[in-house]
Amino acid sequence: QVQLVESGGGLVQPGGSLRLSCAASGFNLEHLAIGWFRQAPGKEREGVSCISSSADFTYYLDSVKGRFTISRDNAQKKVHLQMNGLKPEDTAVYFCAIVADFQDRCEIGAVDRDSWGQGTQVTVSS
C-alpha cells in the first residue's frame, strides 16, 4: 500500500523553526510530486506547498511565502518542509501526499487521497 510518513512536528515558540520530513513506506517517492497540507481544528485541510518531481517547480500558499521552504533529498528519499518564523496561526496537523505532476508543475489541488499519512502535529505557542 502506498503510504507516506510525516515526522518532525512539535511545540515551538512564535518565531521559531521546525523541519518536517516526508518519507515513503513501500515505494520510492523520488519521481513523484509531493505536497504538504495542514489542517487546524475546525478548519478544512489546505495546501501549503508542493514540489515537482524534478524539484524545478515549487508552490507556496501566500501566507507561508518567505517563511517556508520545500526541498527534496533524493539520497534519503525524503521531502522536507523547513518552516521558519512560525506563527500561532501555523498551528495544525501537517500532512504530506502525492500530488499530480503536470508538465513538471506540481498541482496542489490534485491529491492522491490514498497516499495520506497520519500527519504530524505542529503547535506554535508561547
Side-chain angles (χ1 to χ4, degrees), residues 4 19-24 27-36 49-60 69-82 96-101 104-107:
L4 298 174
R19 189 176 83 152
L20 305 183
S21 295
C22 175
F27 70 101
N28 187 346
L29 55 68
E30 181 176 355
H31 302 295
L32 298 170
I34 300 295
W36 279 99
S49 180
C50 68
I51 187 167
S52 66
S53 56
S54 70
D56 286 341
F57 178 84
T58 57
Y59 159 85
Y60 295 96
T69 303
I70 193 169
S71 63
R72 310 188 69 105
D73 183 340
N74 288 337
Q76 292 191 352
K77 301 179 181 179
K78 293 183 178 180
V79 172
H80 302 293
L81 185 67
Q82 178 67 42
C96 61
I98 298 168
V99 298
D101 192 334
D104 199 33
R105 293 172 63 95
C106 58
E107 298 287 343

Side-chain angles (χ1 to χ4, degrees), residues 2-126:
V2 172
Q3 189 170 28
L4 298 174
V5 180
E6 305 90 344
S7 62
L11 172 63
V12 64
Q13 293 186 342
S17 298
L18 285 173
R19 189 176 83 152
L20 305 183
S21 295
C22 175
S25 174
F27 70 101
N28 187 346
L29 55 68
E30 181 176 355
H31 302 295
L32 298 170
I34 300 295
W36 279 99
F37 301 79
R38 66 186 180 187
Q39 187 166 19
K43 295 187 177 181
E44 292 188 356
R45 193 169 298 189
E46 65 178 354
V48 175
S49 180
C50 68
I51 187 167
S52 66
S53 56
S54 70
D56 286 341
F57 178 84
T58 57
Y59 159 85
Y60 295 96
L61 186 67
D62 283 348
S63 61
V64 307
K65 283 181 181 177
R67 299 188 297 123
F68 291 11
T69 303
I70 193 169
S71 63
R72 310 188 69 105
D73 183 340
N74 288 337
Q76 292 191 352
K77 301 179 181 179
K78 293 183 178 180
V79 172
H80 302 293
L81 185 67
Q82 178 67 42
M83 305 187 298
N84 299 328
L86 283 162
K87 304 176 180 180
E89 51 264 43
D90 294 318
T91 294
V93 179
Y94 283 71
F95 303 85
C96 61
I98 298 168
V99 298
D101 192 334
F102 182 67
Q103 295 182 340
D104 199 33
R105 293 172 63 95
C106 58
E107 298 287 343
I108 194 72
V111 182
D112 179 347
R113 299 184 183 279
D114 291 334
S115 67
W116 291 119
Q118 295 300 307
T120 185
Q121 176 71 48
V122 171
T123 303
V124 185
S125 174
S126 55

